[in-house]
Each structure stands twice: as structure tokens, then as C-alpha cells.
Amino acid sequence: QLPPWMDRPHSVKYHRNIPRLVLLHDEIVDFANLMAPRPDELETRQQLVNKVTKLVKETFENDDCVVKCEVQVFGSQATKLLLPTSDIDFVVQLVEKEEDSNGGHGSRESSNTTTINNPNSQGLSEKQKQQIEMDEYNIQKELKLSPLARLGEALRHHPDWKNQLSYLEVVENTRVPIVKFTHGPTNINMDICFNQETGLLAADLMKRLLDAMPPLKPLTFVLKYFLAARGLNEPYTGGCGSFLLQLMIVSFLQHRERHSLQHGSSGGGGDTMNLGSMLLEFFELYGMDFNYLTTGISIRSDGFYFPKGAKGKKEHFFHSTRLFSLAMENPFEITSDVGQTSYRMQLIAKSFETAMRVLLSHTAEPVIYTESILASILPPTEEMFQRATMYKVYKIERQLKQRSGRKNDNDNRKRKA
């Protein structure tokens, strides 16, 4: 059975006359087109973004302590480098008023004063007064919940959300605290963090790099699915997250272009802009050639490598308990290691090496012929076949609309004539 990104089988003559790397290039392009989000999928996600934005604003904008509440998306949702199963990442920029000298709203001292001056408390026993005071203190304490906890409570009880959540978790004891939840009807996961700038900066950087580096988009789609199919794409399980993967691809393309310029082949022969060659070289670099023990990566200043043990770098990028981790400098916080949580990098590198050897067996002499080269490392799924069917329907509908539009234009011209 042909993989869903291929329309029809190629003849033996076609296989023998077309270079294998060109065939792989074509498959990568077709795969990226298949997995790119369709307009209806983007619309569904935008509706969820609007719904979450409404909830956040209802939760915080009526709070007298909040000066500013702004909701923005980042990550793959902002760059459109998303798979059908990709999360939607939100950041809430929340500016609160500074607390006054009495501890701000809801301090225990103010609660005690209220109880003493309350006319309804006159004639009560001391124990009853203490109970009233404690109840009032608990109410004020609830009002002083962290923004994450307040948002979690809002999701749990809001009529538009409480029956549509299949998962909800407030994770506060991490470097970047987040609210994680899943929208049941669409099965789309969403993460919300507060007052984080780097996510927005990263999304803006990736948009500019996508314009400057055309191969970045198709390579990202292929490699994201490659890792997801092997369960190696989640940072919290030691995998390679989207931002880290995109930085790896950017660094690879930077050094590749520099090498091409030095050897006078930039924009020249087929291998220079062939996505099949790029995929093989990426797997070769990070699967066999790159020295994870001693070398770190930066994409600043057109990209460079640095020794992990160098002065000013060792304390941030050399981890004695994880010697094989990938040291990837965060371009917006140069002492931050994006690859620090990816503790399964050795397994990821091994999967890259295996994929390179499999692709070589189908592209280099002696060639092992196969109908689909890309399917040898990207296993097709039922979801992909369904997506291919929907993609064909979408293409037919778009063609019919274009024909109808042209017919209407011709009819209008005839009437005017």
C-alpha cells in the first residue's frame, strides 16, 4: 500500500531514470503539504484560542488588583509549524498592583478588625468570634491564590469548560509553572504560563527564520513526526521538544550554508537545495558526527559551536550527571540551556543514525528499491490516510470554487459587453 502522501505508484522506468535523492525530495515536499494545517483546522484552533482568551479575561480583568491582562499564543500555534496533535501554548501577561504596607487585600489583620467592628458579632462568645474570623480569613486566602491556581479553578467550574475538559493539571513546582488541560471534543492539549517573554520572542524569531530559510519548514514537519512516532518528542520524558529541534535544524542549515559558500556551491548543484540530501546530512551530523560530550551550539551571529567546558560556559552547559546531553544556547537567554531536560539525547542520536543508514540503503549504490523511500523511516498511520482523503476533498472544493469564480467573472464581462 502506498503511503498517504503519494498519489500514485511510479513506473519502474521512472524509478530508474530519476535520481533517488530527487525522489526523496519530492516525498518530503508532499509529506509537508499533507501535514500542514488545513484552513478548517486553523479555524478550530482559533476558536479555542478565542475561548481561552475570553476565560482568562473574565477571570482576571474584573480583579481590582490586576492592572493589565493580555493573552498571546506562541510556539507551533504561532509559527504554524504544527502537527494535528500539536499543543496550543499560551502566555498570559499579568500585571498586578503592588501590595500596600498592611499586606494588601485579604491580610489576616484586616480580617480581624472587620470581625471586631462587625455589629453582628456583638454578644457572641469568644469561640464563635474566632470561628467567624477564621472563615473570613479562609475566604480572603482563596482570593490570594496564585494566578495559576485561580485559572485552574476557573476552568474547573466555568460552565463553558467544566464539561469539556478531559484532563486538567496545575503544575507549579517547575522552572516555568503552567496550567495543562485537554479540550475533550477536539482532543487538543493546551498549556498556559504567566509572564514569560522568551516564548513570544522565540515565535517571532522562528517566523523570521522561516522566511530566510525555506528548507526549515519541510524539514521541521518531517523531523517532528519522526520523533513523535518514536515517543521522543516530549521534553518532560527526556525527549527533544519543538524549540530544541528547530534550533538544531537552524544550526545545521547555518553551518551547511557556510560550508557551501566556502566551497563555492551555494545555490548551485542539486544536492545544495535538495531536501533529501539535507535530511540525510542532518541525520549524519546529529546521529554520528556531532560530539555531544564536548560541544555546545549557538545560532547567534550566523551560528557557531563552543566548548562546553569553556570559561563562562561550563557552569551552564556542562552537566556531570548527563554528559551526553545536547548543550543548546537559548538565543534570548545565553546562560540558559534549551537541551538540559532532554536526557534521552543518546537514544535520539542513535535513532538518527539508524534512519540515516536506512535512507542510504535506498538512495546509494547498491540501491534497495522501494516504492516510498520516506515511508522506510516514517510509518504511515490511519490518521494520515484520513487526512489524505480530507486533503483531496479540500483540493477538489478549492478547484470548483476557482472555476465557479472564473465563470462568474466571464458572465459579468459578457453582461457589461
Side-chain angles (χ1 to χ4, degrees), residues 250-251 254-255 258 297-305:
V250 169
S251 173
Q254 287 174 329
H255 288 279
R258 184 179 297 113
I297 301 173
S298 173
I299 67 165
R300 293 181 299 120
S301 305
D302 293 327
F304 61 90
Y305 296 138

Side-chain angles (χ1 to χ4, degrees), residues 212-276:
M213 298 177 167
L216 176 58
K217 183 176 180 178
L219 288 176
T220 299
F221 275 118
V222 169
L223 290 166
K224 282 185 75 169
Y225 182 76
F226 175 87
L227 292 172
R230 291 157 176 79
L232 297 172
N233 62 320
E234 294 292 353
Y236 63 85
T237 59
C240 180
S242 294
F243 188 44
L244 175 59
L245 176 63
Q246 288 163 19
L247 292 178
M248 291 170 69
I249 299 171
V250 169
S251 173
F252 160 72
L253 292 174
Q254 287 174 329
H255 288 279
R256 189 177 191 272
E257 180 64 17
R258 184 179 297 113
H259 181 270
S260 297
L261 287 170
Q262 290 172 351
H263 291 79
S265 58
S266 179
D271 286 353
T272 304
M273 295 304 293
N274 183 287
L275 291 171

Side-chain angles (χ1 to χ4, degrees), residues 159-402:
D160 291 344
W161 283 96
K162 64 180 181 181
N163 295 323
Q164 294 193 344
L165 294 179
S166 59
Y167 175 78
L168 172 64
E169 182 182 8
V170 178
V171 186
E172 296 196 75
N173 298 321
T174 60
R175 189 173 67 87
V176 180
I178 58 173
V179 178
K180 297 175 68 70
F181 57 101
T182 302
H183 183 246
T186 60
N187 202 33
I188 293 177
N189 299 319
M190 288 170 269
D191 297 338
I192 302 179
C193 63
F194 284 80
N195 299 332
Q196 298 290 326
E197 296 287 347
T198 55
L200 297 173
L201 294 173
D204 182 65
L205 172 65
M206 282 303 154
K207 288 178 183 177
R208 289 185 279 115
L209 289 171
L210 284 167
D211 291 335
M213 298 177 167
L216 176 58
K217 183 176 180 178
L219 288 176
T220 299
F221 275 118
V222 169
L223 290 166
K224 282 185 75 169
Y225 182 76
F226 175 87
L227 292 172
R230 291 157 176 79
L232 297 172
N233 62 320
E234 294 292 353
Y236 63 85
T237 59
C240 180
S242 294
F243 188 44
L244 175 59
L245 176 63
Q246 288 163 19
L247 292 178
M248 291 170 69
I249 299 171
V250 169
S251 173
F252 160 72
L253 292 174
Q254 287 174 329
H255 288 279
R256 189 177 191 272
E257 180 64 17
R258 184 179 297 113
H259 181 270
S260 297
L261 287 170
Q262 290 172 351
H263 291 79
S265 58
S266 179
D271 286 353
T272 304
M273 295 304 293
N274 183 287
L275 291 171
S277 293
M278 293 181 191
L279 185 61
L280 271 166
E281 291 171 26
F282 179 92
F283 285 146
E284 182 180 18
L285 172 63
Y286 292 110
M288 297 180 66
D289 295 344
F290 189 81
N291 191 331
Y292 292 87
L293 298 176
T294 64
T295 309
I297 301 173
S298 173
I299 67 165
R300 293 181 299 120
S301 305
D302 293 327
F304 61 90
Y305 296 138
F306 61 85
K308 291 167 70 171
K311 184 178 180 181
K313 298 288 186 182
K314 184 174 182 179
E315 59 268 34
H316 305 295
F317 297 98
F318 183 83
H319 310 292
S320 58
T321 56
R322 293 195 301 274
L323 296 176
F324 205 79
S325 64
L326 175 61
M328 177 64 76
E329 178 191 90
N330 188 326
F332 308 106
E333 192 178 345
I334 61 175
T335 58
S336 174
D337 183 2
V338 179
Q340 183 174 358
T341 59
S342 300
Y343 57 83
R344 298 168 73 190
M345 188 53 69
Q346 195 165 6
L347 178 59
I348 293 169
K350 191 65 180 176
S351 70
F352 287 162
E353 179 188 355
T354 302
M356 187 210 70
R357 296 186 184 281
V358 171
L359 290 179
L360 273 180
S361 70
H362 299 302
T363 57
E365 296 293 341
V367 172
I368 300 175
Y369 285 97
T370 179
E371 192 65 52
S372 170
I373 302 172
L374 190 60
S376 64
I377 62 167
L378 291 185
T381 63
E382 186 60 35
E383 180 187 5
M384 283 186 184
F385 286 103
Q386 295 174 358
R387 188 174 185 81
T389 302
M390 293 300 296
Y391 184 68
K392 291 175 183 177
V393 171
Y394 169 71
K395 284 173 64 177
I396 293 172
E397 289 177 347
R398 186 174 59 181
Q399 290 170 356
L400 291 175
K401 286 181 181 179
Q402 290 173 347

